[in-house]
Amino acid sequence: NREDLDSEVPNCGSGANTHQNRELSLLRPEIGGARVEDTGGTFQFWLYPGNQYHVFQDTLTYFQKRQWIDDGTRSLEIRMYLLNCEMGRPRIMQVTITFEFSDVGSIFYARDVQTLFLKNYDGSVWGPLADALWVAMLVLTTIFRCKLAWKAFMQVELFEHLTMLDNASEWAIVLIGWVNCFWLMHAEEGSEPAKVL
């Protein structure tokens, strides 16, 4: 029944659905992430990386059967977010691929890759305060471990002290903590955020 089918199909802004400004009567799983923009007739839907393959296939098949790309489509934009770990500190990359359809049948494409820099703090004092407390605990732990090591050194037991499993693990944690602090300070000095997510 055509009327039943129309009740499930969103208005894609291309004239495929003759009923304007109609909300979906049934939110099926394959169209759960779809919506129509109020301006410009832009139709959007999302494919999330956590979904299974058959969900992607069902979503794309659903829109393909209902001609979400038709003669009135002028452009198609695919946007994805990737974690790039190949250039030092991992960064979130926004990759956009745009396809433009001309009236004579030609298809043009454009690629755009932008780095998105995350904010270290959201403007509140809780973030810097948490970092300050962590550094303070690291300093106190370092002083405490140095005092124990000095005491063992004065008693000519430094080697035995450092070879004990609990002491060795504590020193490893302290050293990793200081390396992490200096690495973050160096990373922040060398970064010049161009865009904030």
Side-chain angles (χ1 to χ4, degrees):
N1 190 340
R2 179 62 184 175
E3 293 182 358
D4 295 336
L5 181 62
D6 283 342
S7 65
E8 300 179 8
V9 180
N11 180 8
C12 300
S14 60
N17 190 342
T18 57
H19 302 282
Q20 300 296 324
N21 300 324
R22 170 178 291 182
E23 295 182 357
L24 298 177
S25 59
L26 175 64
L27 185 60
R28 297 174 56 168
E30 61 267 24
I31 58 175
R35 67 187 178 93
V36 180
E37 290 288 341
D38 294 334
T39 59
T42 302
F43 177 70
Q44 296 182 351
F45 69 92
W46 293 267
L47 298 175
Y48 299 101
N51 292 340
Q52 297 181 358
Y53 174 76
H54 70 86
V55 177
F56 298 151
Q57 194 172 27
D58 291 344
T59 302
L60 295 176
T61 302
Y62 179 88
F63 291 117
Q64 182 183 14
K65 288 181 178 179
R66 286 153 179 81
Q67 297 181 350
W68 67 287
I69 298 180
D70 58 8
D71 295 338
T73 304
R74 289 293 175 261
S75 66
L76 171 66
E77 182 178 280
I78 302 173
R79 182 175 298 170
M80 64 193 80
Y81 297 93
L82 307 174
L83 184 62
N84 185 2
C85 301
E86 298 181 357
M87 300 180 64
R89 181 173 51 168
R91 302 178 186 275
I92 297 179
M93 311 293 292
Q94 176 182 288
V95 181
T96 305
I97 304 175
T98 304
F99 297 95
E100 298 286 344
F101 306 101
S102 68
D103 293 334
V104 295
S106 300
I107 301 177
F108 305 92
Y109 74 95
R111 295 168 295 181
D112 182 58
V113 180
Q114 297 289 334
T115 301
L116 302 180
F117 295 91
L118 301 178
K119 289 182 177 180
N120 292 330
Y121 306 108
D122 60 355
S124 66
V125 298
W126 297 111
L129 181 60
D131 285 348
L133 290 176
W134 186 84
V135 172
M137 288 189 296
L138 182 60
V139 170
L140 292 176
T141 304
T142 304
I143 295 174
F144 176 71
R145 285 293 151 189
C146 287
K147 288 180 65 176
L148 292 180
W150 178 255
K151 182 178 179 181
F153 174 75
M154 295 301 293
Q155 296 176 356
V156 197
E157 298 176 352
L158 181 60
F159 180 77
E160 291 81 1
H161 174 78
L162 294 178
T163 53
M164 293 179 63
L165 182 60
D166 56 342
N167 291 330
S169 62
E170 288 291 337
W171 273 110
I173 293 172
V174 168
L175 292 176
I176 292 174
W178 284 114
V179 169
N180 187 42
C181 284
F182 289 116
W183 178 76
L184 287 176
M185 290 173 59
H186 175 71
E188 290 301 325
E189 291 176 357
S191 65
E192 295 180 359
K195 187 174 183 180
V196 177
L197 179 63

